[in-house]
Amino acid sequence: GPAALEDHNKGKAHLKRVEQVASGPQPTGDFHCHVCNVPCNSSAALDAHNKGKAHLKKVGQAGSEPKPISEFHCHVCKVQCSGAAALEAHIKGKAHLKMAEKKSG
């Protein structure tokens, strides 16, 4: 129930994973999936990613539109977060701070 979820979200493993996700791979070049926030090193790699299970699951199956931007979206990094806590962790993370600095300067 809600208490178990709250306990989980406060746990070491969860907090470590939130930090890992927040400081994850950054977009590079022209080959980047904005739905999954996955950088690819070539057009072929991006095509392969777009046909993969993880990507298709995020877009809700082949042929459908990407998920709409929710209130838990970072417009600087173009990443979708699962909730307020994840977005807050993302905003405090190294990757976000680096991207924000890069875009402002």
Side-chain angles (χ1 to χ4, degrees):
L5 177 61
E6 187 174 326
D7 288 345
H8 166 80
N9 287 342
K10 291 179 181 177
K12 286 181 185 178
H14 177 80
L15 294 173
K16 183 177 179 181
R17 180 68 179 135
V18 167
E19 188 176 318
Q20 287 173 338
V21 169
S23 64
Q26 291 299 300
T28 56
D30 296 326
F31 309 109
H32 180 254
C33 174
H34 296 284
V35 174
C36 302
N37 193 31
V38 173
C40 297
N41 59 9
S42 68
S43 176
L46 182 59
D47 288 344
H49 164 78
N50 288 338
K51 293 176 184 172
K53 287 181 186 179
H55 176 82
L56 293 176
K57 184 176 180 183
K58 282 195 177 185
V59 297
Q61 300 306 317
S64 66
E65 295 296 314
K67 290 182 179 180
I69 294 174
S70 79
E71 63 185 300
F72 307 115
H73 180 80
C74 173
H75 296 282
V76 173
C77 302
K78 297 183 177 127
V79 296
Q80 192 76 20
C81 296
S82 59
L87 180 59
E88 186 175 331
H90 165 76
I91 289 171
K92 291 178 180 177
K94 292 179 203 172
H96 172 82
L97 295 173
K98 185 176 180 181
M99 181 68 77
E101 184 178 309
K102 182 179 175 182
K103 287 191 174 187
S104 69

